[in-house]
Amino acid sequence: MASDAYTSAQKFLHWALFALVLLLYALTYGEDLLPRGDPTVDAIWRLHISFGLLLAALVFWRVVLRGMKGAPRLPAEMSGLERTTAKVGHFILYALLVALPVLGILLTWFRGDALSFFGLFTMPAPFAPDRATARTIRELHSLCANGILIVAGIHALAALYHHFIRRDTILTRMLPGNR
């Protein structure tokens, strides 16, 4: 990509994934506020699965677009270390965005539950429940979820640093309406 901005589709996906990650995190920890056995917990779990499947689809779309369109060139003032750090940071973000829904799907299936996308379609578990495996996958899923918050937080701080201190176009090229 030779331009200095992302396409409108790339911008949409960036912000949609950001919102979905926050929503999924809120659903996970919002469930902890309810008493054990509350039927709302099941509804929250179903919503978490549905939004997680939506996340998987949008991540797939984002990865395909990134492969087809690339990314805008970085400002010439950035050092080699900064460029490498940006590339590694983006790779980690993409890896976590892929890992989260894959682990979530496996976790659901190893718990013995079917995947349902907002009740529109259901995919039954392709194998028998396994509590030990589900527990391990849940820990990995939680680790990745916390990891993405940390890496995304660093990513956001870096963008703010570039905008307010370096005064370059790193942040503005991902904002809606900017070309």
Side-chain angles (χ1 to χ4, degrees):
M1 173 179 276
S3 77
D4 290 325
Y6 288 94
T7 67
S8 54
Q10 288 172 308
K11 291 176 187 182
F12 166 77
L13 290 169
H14 176 273
W15 295 107
L17 291 172
F18 169 72
L20 274 173
V21 166
L22 289 182
L23 174 64
L24 287 162
Y25 209 87
L27 286 169
T28 299
Y29 290 99
E31 163 184 316
D32 292 341
L33 301 174
L34 298 169
R36 184 172 237 149
D38 188 318
T40 308
V41 172
D42 286 337
I44 290 172
W45 173 246
R46 286 189 305 275
L47 281 174
H48 185 92
I49 291 170
S50 293
F51 282 115
L53 290 171
L54 179 60
L55 179 83
L58 294 182
V59 166
F60 177 76
W61 183 16
R62 175 102 194 242
V63 169
V64 168
L65 267 181
R66 178 70 183 248
M68 289 172 39
K69 302 287 186 183
R73 60 182 167 251
L74 295 170
E77 311 82 53
M78 286 180 67
S79 71
L81 178 61
E82 287 174 314
R83 290 170 186 278
T84 300
T85 303
K87 288 178 184 176
V88 168
H90 280 98
F91 176 80
I92 292 169
L93 279 171
Y94 279 101
L96 289 168
L97 284 168
V98 169
L100 273 171
V102 169
L103 289 167
I105 290 166
L106 291 173
L107 172 59
T108 302
W109 282 341
F110 276 106
R111 284 183 170 172
D113 296 329
L115 289 172
S116 176
F117 185 71
F118 298 106
L120 298 174
F121 65 85
T122 302
M123 295 183 301
F127 32 74
D130 182 335
R131 293 185 86 148
T133 302
R135 194 172 15 262
T136 300
I137 293 171
R138 182 174 190 239
E139 289 173 15
L140 289 171
H141 186 68
S142 294
L143 184 66
C144 286
N146 290 330
I148 202 165
L149 288 181
I150 292 166
V151 176
I154 293 168
H155 176 75
L157 288 173
L160 293 171
Y161 165 78
H162 277 274
H163 186 71
F164 291 109
I165 295 174
R166 297 285 295 270
R167 299 195 184 278
D168 60 26
T169 61
I170 291 292
L171 175 64
T172 56
R173 66 191 190 158
M174 187 51 90
L175 294 177
N178 288 321
R179 294 247 167 229

